[in-house]
Amino acid sequence: MANPVLPSSGVLSPLGLDAVRLSPGFWGDRVALNREVTIAHCQEWEEREGWIGNFRGERPRRGREFSDSEIYKLLEAMAWADHPGLPALAEIVAQAQECDGYLNTRWSGSRYTDFEWGHELYCYGHLIQAGVARLRMHGEDPLTRVAVKAADHVCRRFMEGSETCGHPVIEMALVELYRVTGTERYLEMARRFVERRGTPALADIPFGRAYYQDDMPVRQAQVLRGHAVRALYLACGVVDVAVETGDQNLLKMVESQWERTIARRTHLTGGMGSRHADESYGEDYELPPDRAYNETCAGIASIMLAHRLLLATGDVKYADLAERTLYNMLATGVALDGRSFFYANPLQVRVPSVPLDGVNHAAEGGLRSPWFDVSCCPNNIARTIASLPAYVAGAAADGLRIHHYASGEIRGGGPAVRVETGYPWNGSVSVRVLEDGRGRIGLRVPAWAADATLSHVPASSPDAPLPEGPVIRPVGPGYAVVDGPWRAGDEIRLELPMTPRWTFPDRRIDALRGSAAVERGPLVYCAESVADQPPLGDLSARVRPPVEHHGDDVVELEVAAALGAGDGNGWPYSAAANGHADGRDVRLRLIPYHRWGNRGPATMRVWLPI
Amino acid sequence: MANPVLPSSGVLSPLGLDAVRLSPGFWGDRVALNREVTIAHCQEWEEREGWIGNFRGERPRRGREFSDSEIYKLLEAMAWADHPGLPALAEIVAQAQECDGYLNTRWSGSRYTDFEWGHELYCYGHLIQAGVARLRMHGEDPLTRVAVKAADHVCRRFMEGSETCGHPVIEMALVELYRVTGTERYLEMARRFVERRGTPALADIPFGRAYYQDDMPVRQAQVLRGHAVRALYLACGVVDVAVETGDQNLLKMVESQWERTIARRTHLTGGMGSRHADESYGEDYELPPDRAYNETCAGIASIMLAHRLLLATGDVKYADLAERTLYNMLATGVALDGRSFFYANPLQVRVPSVPLDGVNHAAEGGLRSPWFDVSCCPNNIARTIASLPAYVAGAAADGLRIHHYASGEIRGGGPAVRVETGYPWNGSVSVRVLEDGRGRIGLRVPAWAADATLSHVPASSPDAPLPEGPVIRPVGPGYAVVDGPWRAGDEIRLELPMTPRWTFPDRRIDALRGSAAVERGPLVYCAESVADQPPLGDLSARVRPPVEHHGDDVVELEVAAALGAGDGNGWPYSAAANGHADGRDVRLRLIPYHRWGNRGPATMRVWLPI
């Protein structure tokens, strides 16, 4: 079966990519755009920047010490997308591998001299993930042989000893290679990398060992901390090891780390990472909207983690968080044309950014860029969207579970069904059974959907009397499960209430005090300073029901606000409290956060002073 | 005359260090502690870290590329303090100078190959400032000859061309060397460095050219931006060049840059710099309390700039800002024992820091450290406190002006006076005239002191009838000026109201919305989580007059607050607004911000939710 994550046990099982065919719609369009545009875009830039040339032996070597991994992420994207460019690119990579399996264009003369920053095992991790994807989609070929050879080299070199890599990812890659090959030493190697971490295994650095989760063993940690992508990749590997070794205590530790991280260290968009300096989480309740880092890759890694925990536990809360992050981080990270990307995803931008055609050396998040010095995000987006159907649905013991709503067909886990929906723009989801069969069908009702309803409309039949009107029943958050047996043509209709709603922050989030945001369905909304929008720097919104404006492929909202008057005096602290703007009344247009930054330089804010 | 800044023109003139003798008191004690403890502490650490050894030719060279400058800052501190250790240390430095004047322990084999990060001219700047200090305090000696030789080398090498240094400081150093020697080429070299910047003169870097103020010529800039210390050092040099060349337009530009910076980019403590990643200002109204960087050196540089603008214009607002920064940044940067230092000075710390005896590789600001990898702050504190009497008073055309209140004697600028005060703990300042004489005496009334009063108490005389009770008159913010002539024993009494006051932020400062701080006199107060203090993470203060608690050498305050109840749920954003804590009532003890972090690891906050 083809899926990036195939645990051998768990409450839910994934379906193969071939079991889920997306048709045009929010995600179907993005999967197509990714295959047609984004993958080629990434390959062009990696060629232009010389990162592919590094594998050809071109000198001087170009790019950062971890640039090899970008080619591997791209290869993984190509594998999931069954992209015709894969074999040629894989061949270039294969030629750079040394006889004993070592493969790195930067460190080949000085192997394993810098575990803190060298990223050699990190690069292998992405190579192995690409190999796993290729094995599952295609079967053995030069790319998979390179990946296996590298994994064998890693096991020989690192099975004994106390070394590990400053940047996790090898852990989950090795578990998946074990899952696809059955070779147990890969699992054992992953387990040892997990257990070594925090003993400590790496040097102290100015950022502190928490930066790479080496401050304490993973079994003692209470929360995700340090560099967000590293923390999340590690947690993914820990879940994988826990599931395959049947280590329930280890799984429970990650679950509790996740819970505290969600309760105290996650932005409304699902974004994680509050600090630019070390790309780290920051402390509990340190959630600044303007300086939120929220690296696109951390959003992707959070989706990967939530998906693993969903499979292991079946708890719908993980799917809820994954959905929030899919719509407000993954969909935000790439422009509507598939050719430019956000690295950081702040929730407030005070000054419009300058457009950039070339490589963006910074990662501030004001305007999407075609490429970055560190271009993990574009390639990570490419591989994630290429494998997106893998996240849509799964199988429970009693039948199908649909986690995320996108038009298309699902054939696996239960009765074959066709999903039709305009989600996330409207909340109507139709699931029509395509063949007679048995097994339950469960539809996720998100936690925000308090008044959802579900109806079961039996297919009309010449043998039976005309069906009465369908029974509509309220369904609460969780999986709304409908029993079979099924006849082709049976339909389940889920109605999720899409009324826009005001959302307020926990009062311990100092940076958001006195503000509120608007959400609608799974989407976080924001104000963007384009066209005739009033300035966003000094306003006070009125917490009244927003007005909806339905367009072709987007729903915009409108709220009332008052603009601030006057420019203040010379010193911005005074004896007079000035809680609210008091100038003229304006209407403020809100767009989905993932759409912002597609209309040129602008300021933006999710949280509105109230 | 001995003073770090001696302009040849301006509304106010400085007095020499020898004209101001501080006696025990807030600043007098700190000047003594600095001389007795801090200077030796810095020298010990520079020896231990090998930075002094670099000048002896010890290899491998140790420390960062700019570590030479730390020895120069220390030499400047020694010069102002007339410290006996200076000649021996200067001798070590002198031996490392090359025949043509070049002097750098890091780059000697590859001179001037990296203007962006090499810091060679930056190091010269501090060397020249040390040389200027020594010339003014002592006269020519080996240190001053090294400095002059280096300056001559700089003029020969850089007078033509378009090069400048990534880190300003050479500009103000050269102007001061011109002032003390009269050699005009130093001024011309400084002028050219100022005018070159932003043409642009340096390479583009990931932080952007604004990082080192090379994004536009200084005559076009509207605000201070980029790396805060660089921006402020450059602005100091620009004022110096403008004053010496009589360029009023240039001076006006800096004044307007300063005004916008104060109105939009300055923390309540006077601290500047909101971002850790590039130690930069951040955008207008980006003033987070928790992630405020507020480098100690930026506070010092801001005092240097405000002092220069005060001298040039006589506008009291510059002295007000200098006072705020002296009490809440400079005094905060060093512990009460003179042996540990803050690098960053945030206004909120959520998690207590781990104590550190050795070198602190980070700069987070949770607990003072004895030393840093980059130890500009300790040495900058040492040189600034060593020259602190230079900032206390000045001469106007009509007589003396006292800018800052500290017990001591002032002999210069007007009638000799003795100042006696318990400031900043109480607001009574007595200025007693020591000799018969003429000339006015002006006392600064800070902007916060709305109901200040001043009285003139003539000396009692056997010839005259007993004086009636003194006439007490209200004085508003600005300089309250009293006419002479004076008889020895005449006294001026200034009463500044020291009632604690609540201060509210401009509503455009998003990070402070819904909060208020308490100030008393020039001091910003904060809550620190020590002893039986309630936890600071979830509370809501009541905006009522604080209660004062007077101790031996500190006034503490107490306010009422409510603690938050409950631990929240799993997702910290909800449909319910929860503006205020609602648990049990508590009393919250507030201490002066500069005193925090002297009682072990703690959390802290200046801005209290209300």
Side-chain angles (χ1 to χ4, degrees):
Chain A
M1 202 193 320
N3 187 303
V5 187
L6 287 176
S8 61
S9 68
V11 175
L12 295 171
S13 308
L15 307 182
L17 282 192
D18 55 344
V20 180
R21 302 260 162 190
L22 299 186
S23 46
F26 190 94
W27 288 114
D29 294 350
R30 279 169 170 74
V31 171
L33 183 73
N34 185 63
R35 187 181 191 286
E36 303 303 323
V37 174
T38 304
I39 287 177
H41 174 92
C42 288
Q43 187 169 9
E44 283 165 27
W45 275 94
E46 284 162 21
E47 196 63 78
R48 188 186 311 189
E49 290 292 301
W51 303 349
I52 294 175
N54 292 337
F55 287 92
R56 297 194 195 95
E58 291 166 14
R59 292 294 177 267
R61 185 187 179 280
R62 293 171 63 191
R64 292 287 300 269
E65 61 275 23
F66 39 70
S67 70
D68 290 3
S69 76
E70 308 313 344
I71 282 75
Y72 303 149
K73 290 178 201 121
L74 177 62
L75 281 166
E76 184 188 340
M78 288 174 159
W80 297 127
D82 211 5
H83 193 279
L86 185 146
L89 185 56
E91 192 53 43
I92 297 169
V93 167
Q95 290 174 2
Q97 191 168 35
E98 301 182 29
C99 295
D100 65 348
Y102 184 89
L103 174 49
N104 192 291
T105 68
R106 164 69 181 82
W107 297 99
S108 94
S110 54
R111 296 180 177 193
Y112 305 125
T113 49
D114 185 356
F115 287 96
E116 286 71 28
W117 302 106
H119 285 79
E120 285 153 296
L121 290 163
Y122 167 82
C123 289
Y124 291 142
H126 282 296
L127 172 62
I128 293 167
Q129 288 181 327
V132 167
R134 187 63 171 168
L135 272 171
R136 287 180 175 154
M137 288 293 293
H138 173 94
E140 194 180 315
D141 82 346
L143 176 60
T144 72
R145 283 190 287 272
V146 171
V148 168
K149 195 169 168 183
D152 290 339
H153 162 77
V154 168
C155 291
R156 281 195 307 276
R157 173 66 177 75
F158 294 101
M159 192 64 79
E160 306 306 324
S162 60
E163 291 151 328
T164 193
C165 184
H167 199 314
V169 83
I170 185 79
E171 299 82 359
M172 62 174 140
L174 285 169
V175 175
E176 222 61 55
L177 188 62
Y178 155 72
R179 286 168 173 167
V180 70
T181 62
T183 308
E184 293 200 353
R185 69 171 173 278
Y186 302 143
L187 174 61
E188 176 61 14
M189 186 73 258
R191 191 188 69 75
R192 292 188 186 191
F193 280 140
V194 163
E195 300 285 2
R196 269 173 208 172
R197 212 168 195 88
T199 53
L202 296 161
D204 200 7
I205 51 173
F207 289 146
R209 279 204 181 85
Y211 172 77
Y212 35 43
Q213 298 74 49
D214 195 40
D215 52 333
M216 63 181 74
V218 69
R219 291 174 187 277
Q220 291 171 20
Q222 304 297 311
V223 68
L224 300 185
R225 69 225 177 277
H227 187 278
V229 176
R230 289 169 208 244
L232 288 158
Y233 279 3
L234 176 65
C236 288
V238 176
V239 173
D240 291 344
V241 166
V243 165
E244 296 307 323
T245 60
D247 190 334
Q248 287 298 314
N249 287 337
L250 191 57
L251 181 62
K252 286 266 177 270
M253 278 312 301
V254 181
E255 286 191 85
S256 72
Q257 290 165 16
W258 185 91
E259 274 183 32
R260 179 163 151 186
T261 304
I262 296 304
R264 304 184 183 193
R265 299 186 174 194
T266 305
H267 293 267
L268 184 64
T269 54
M272 295 182 182
S274 287
R275 296 184 177 180
H276 284 242
D278 56 355
E279 308 185 305
S280 76
Y281 274 97
E283 302 295 349
D284 286 354
Y285 302 115
E286 181 185 320
L287 293 162
D290 50 352
R291 291 296 283 170
Y293 194 66
N294 287 350
E295 186 180 338
T296 300
C297 290
I300 288 170
S302 173
I303 293 166
M304 294 165 66
L305 176 61
H307 184 63
R308 282 164 167 76
L309 290 170
L310 174 68
L311 295 178
T313 67
D315 192 330
V316 71
K317 70 184 177 188
Y318 297 116
D320 281 358
L321 192 275
E323 175 176 69
R324 177 178 293 277
T325 314
L326 283 164
Y327 281 102
N328 301 295
M329 284 291 296
L330 182 63
T332 308
V334 54
L336 295 175
D337 70 357
R339 294 181 183 280
S340 61
F341 310 89
F342 277 139
Y343 197 111
N345 294 276
L347 280 71
Q348 177 177 10
V349 172
R350 285 196 179 79
V351 176
S353 292
V354 178
L356 200 63
D357 288 336
V359 175
N360 187 348
H361 305 293
E364 292 293 309
L367 208 59
R368 292 180 186 83
S369 296
W371 206 246
F372 301 90
D373 284 336
V374 177
S375 262
C376 42
C377 298
N379 296 291
N380 231 341
I381 286 171
R383 70 176 184 136
T384 305
I385 295 184
S387 57
L388 200 89
Y391 295 92
V392 165
D398 62 357
L400 180 66
R401 294 293 182 275
I402 303 182
H403 313 312
H404 302 295
Y405 299 114
S407 293
E409 287 186 12
I410 303 173
R411 294 177 179 272
V417 298
R418 177 181 301 127
V419 179
E420 286 180 17
T421 182
Y423 198 80
W425 308 120
N426 69 61
S428 299
V429 180
S430 158
V431 177
R432 191 175 293 272
V433 175
L434 298 176
E435 297 159 5
D436 293 1
R438 310 191 67 83
R440 290 170 158 179
I441 299 176
L443 307 186
R444 186 177 60 89
V445 179
W448 50 260
D451 299 314
T453 61
L454 186 136
S455 51
H456 178 179
V457 189
S460 56
S461 154
D463 306 344
L466 279 177
E468 296 180 39
V471 178
I472 300 179
R473 64 179 168 101
V475 285
Y479 285 94
V481 179
V482 186
D483 277 327
W486 305 95
R487 289 177 50 204
D490 283 357
E491 185 187 7
I492 306 169
R493 290 184 195 155
L494 177 66
E495 290 290 338
L496 299 170
M498 301 300 272
T499 313
R501 58 194 193 277
W502 286 93
T503 299
F504 302 87
D506 186 294
R507 68 173 170 253
R508 285 165 291 193
I509 306 176
D510 294 298
L512 301 180
R513 187 166 292 117
S515 298
V518 177
E519 299 181 274
R520 181 179 182 276
L523 301 179
V524 173
Y525 275 69
C526 70
E528 185 183 21
S529 67
V530 292
D532 54 355
Q533 189 85 322
L536 307 180
D538 183 14
L539 55 81
S540 188
R542 304 194 199 287
V543 183
R544 296 190 195 140
V547 177
E548 298 196 10
H549 295 272
H550 288 254
D552 284 345
D553 60 349
V554 62
V555 176
E556 297 190 0
L557 303 175
E558 194 179 293
V559 297
L563 280 192
D567 198 40
N569 52 17
W571 180 241
Y573 310 99
S574 70
N578 55 3
H580 294 282
D582 47 11
R584 71 187 165 89
D585 288 340
V586 293
R587 307 293 299 176
L588 200 61
R589 197 86 170 199
L590 306 183
I591 60 169
Y593 175 73
H594 74 260
R595 307 273 294 204
W596 102 271
N598 277 292
R599 298 180 287 185
T603 66
M604 179 276 294
R605 64 189 311 161
V606 167
W607 291 100
L608 308 174
I610 54 173
Chain B
M1 205 192 318
N3 188 303
V5 188
L6 288 176
S8 61
S9 68
V11 175
L12 295 170
S13 307
L15 307 182
L17 283 192
D18 56 342
V20 180
R21 302 260 161 192
L22 299 186
S23 45
F26 189 95
W27 288 113
D29 294 349
R30 280 168 170 75
V31 171
L33 183 74
N34 184 64
R35 188 181 192 286
E36 303 303 322
V37 173
T38 305
I39 287 177
H41 174 93
C42 289
Q43 186 169 10
E44 281 164 28
W45 274 94
E46 283 162 22
E47 194 65 76
R48 186 184 314 188
E49 290 292 301
W51 303 351
I52 295 175
N54 292 337
F55 286 92
R56 295 194 195 97
E58 292 165 12
R59 290 296 177 265
R61 186 189 177 279
R62 293 170 62 190
R64 292 289 299 270
E65 61 275 25
F66 38 71
S67 70
D68 290 4
S69 77
E70 309 312 344
I71 283 73
Y72 304 150
K73 291 179 199 115
L74 176 62
L75 282 166
E76 185 188 338
M78 288 174 158
W80 297 127
D82 211 5
H83 193 279
L86 186 145
L89 184 57
E91 191 54 41
I92 296 168
V93 166
Q95 288 172 3
Q97 191 168 36
E98 301 182 28
C99 295
D100 64 348
Y102 184 89
L103 173 51
N104 191 292
T105 68
R106 162 72 181 78
W107 298 99
S108 93
S110 54
R111 296 179 177 192
Y112 307 125
T113 51
D114 185 354
F115 287 96
E116 285 71 29
W117 301 107
H119 285 80
E120 284 153 295
L121 289 164
Y122 167 82
C123 289
Y124 290 141
H126 282 296
L127 171 63
I128 292 167
Q129 288 181 326
V132 167
R134 188 63 171 168
L135 273 171
R136 287 179 175 156
M137 288 293 293
H138 172 94
E140 194 180 315
D141 82 346
L143 175 61
T144 72
R145 283 190 287 272
V146 170
V148 168
K149 195 169 167 184
D152 289 339
H153 162 77
V154 168
C155 292
R156 280 195 307 276
R157 171 67 178 74
F158 294 100
M159 191 64 78
E160 305 307 323
S162 60
E163 293 150 326
T164 193
C165 184
H167 199 315
V169 84
I170 185 80
E171 300 82 358
M172 62 174 139
L174 285 169
V175 175
E176 221 61 54
L177 187 61
Y178 155 72
R179 286 168 173 167
V180 68
T181 63
T183 307
E184 293 200 353
R185 69 173 172 277
Y186 302 142
L187 174 62
E188 177 61 14
M189 185 73 259
R191 191 188 69 75
R192 292 189 185 192
F193 280 140
V194 163
E195 300 286 0
R196 270 172 207 173
R197 210 168 197 92
T199 54
L202 296 161
D204 200 8
I205 50 172
F207 290 145
R209 281 205 181 85
Y211 172 77
Y212 35 43
Q213 298 75 48
D214 194 41
D215 53 332
M216 63 182 75
V218 68
R219 291 174 187 277
Q220 292 171 21
Q222 303 296 311
V223 68
L224 300 185
R225 68 221 178 278
H227 187 277
V229 176
R230 289 169 209 245
L232 288 157
Y233 278 3
L234 177 64
C236 288
V238 176
V239 172
D240 291 343
V241 166
V243 165
E244 294 308 322
T245 61
D247 189 334
Q248 286 300 313
N249 288 337
L250 191 56
L251 181 62
K252 286 268 178 267
M253 280 310 301
V254 182
E255 285 190 86
S256 71
Q257 292 165 15
W258 184 92
E259 275 183 29
R260 179 163 151 186
T261 304
I262 295 305
R264 304 183 183 194
R265 299 187 173 194
T266 304
H267 292 267
L268 184 64
T269 54
M272 295 182 182
S274 287
R275 297 184 176 179
H276 284 242
D278 56 354
E279 309 185 306
S280 76
Y281 274 97
E283 302 295 349
D284 286 353
Y285 302 115
E286 181 185 321
L287 294 162
D290 49 354
R291 292 294 283 171
Y293 193 67
N294 288 350
E295 185 180 337
T296 300
C297 290
I300 288 170
S302 173
I303 294 166
M304 292 165 68
L305 175 60
H307 184 63
R308 280 163 169 77
L309 290 169
L310 174 69
L311 296 178
T313 68
D315 192 330
V316 71
K317 69 185 177 187
Y318 298 115
D320 281 358
L321 192 276
E323 175 176 69
R324 176 176 294 277
T325 314
L326 283 164
Y327 282 102
N328 300 295
M329 284 291 296
L330 182 64
T332 308
V334 54
L336 296 176
D337 70 358
R339 294 182 182 279
S340 62
F341 311 89
F342 277 140
Y343 197 109
N345 294 275
L347 280 72
Q348 178 178 10
V349 172
R350 285 195 178 79
V351 176
S353 293
V354 178
L356 200 64
D357 287 337
V359 175
N360 187 348
H361 305 292
E364 293 293 309
L367 208 60
R368 292 181 186 84
S369 296
W371 204 246
F372 301 89
D373 282 337
V374 177
S375 263
C376 42
C377 298
N379 295 291
N380 231 341
I381 285 172
R383 72 177 183 134
T384 306
I385 295 184
S387 57
L388 200 89
Y391 295 91
V392 165
D398 62 358
L400 180 65
R401 294 292 180 277
I402 303 182
H403 312 311
H404 302 295
Y405 300 115
S407 293
E409 286 187 11
I410 304 172
R411 294 177 178 275
V417 298
R418 176 180 302 129
V419 179
E420 287 179 16
T421 181
Y423 197 80
W425 309 120
N426 70 60
S428 299
V429 180
S430 158
V431 177
R432 190 174 295 274
V433 175
L434 298 176
E435 297 159 5
D436 294 1
R438 308 191 70 82
R440 289 168 158 182
I441 298 176
L443 306 186
R444 187 178 60 89
V445 179
W448 49 261
D451 300 313
T453 60
L454 186 136
S455 51
H456 179 180
V457 189
S460 56
S461 152
D463 306 343
L466 279 176
E468 297 178 40
V471 179
I472 300 178
R473 65 178 168 103
V475 283
Y479 285 94
V481 179
V482 186
D483 276 326
W486 304 94
R487 291 178 47 203
D490 283 357
E491 184 187 8
I492 305 169
R493 290 184 195 155
L494 176 66
E495 290 290 338
L496 299 171
M498 301 300 271
T499 313
R501 57 194 193 276
W502 285 93
T503 298
F504 302 88
D506 185 293
R507 68 173 170 254
R508 286 166 291 194
I509 306 176
D510 294 298
L512 302 180
R513 188 167 293 116
S515 299
V518 177
E519 298 180 275
R520 181 179 183 278
L523 301 180
V524 173
Y525 275 69
C526 71
E528 184 183 21
S529 67
V530 291
D532 53 356
Q533 188 86 323
L536 307 180
D538 183 13
L539 56 81
S540 189
R542 305 193 198 288
V543 182
R544 294 187 196 143
V547 177
E548 299 196 9
H549 295 271
H550 288 254
D552 283 346
D553 59 349
V554 62
V555 176
E556 297 190 1
L557 304 175
E558 193 179 292
V559 297
L563 279 192
D567 198 37
N569 52 17
W571 180 242
Y573 309 100
S574 70
N578 56 4
H580 293 283
D582 45 12
R584 72 186 164 88
D585 288 340
V586 294
R587 307 293 300 176
L588 200 62
R589 197 85 169 200
L590 305 182
I591 60 168
Y593 175 73
H594 73 261
R595 305 275 293 207
W596 102 271
N598 278 293
R599 296 179 287 184
T603 66
M604 179 276 294
R605 66 189 308 160
V606 167
W607 292 98
L608 307 174
I610 53 171

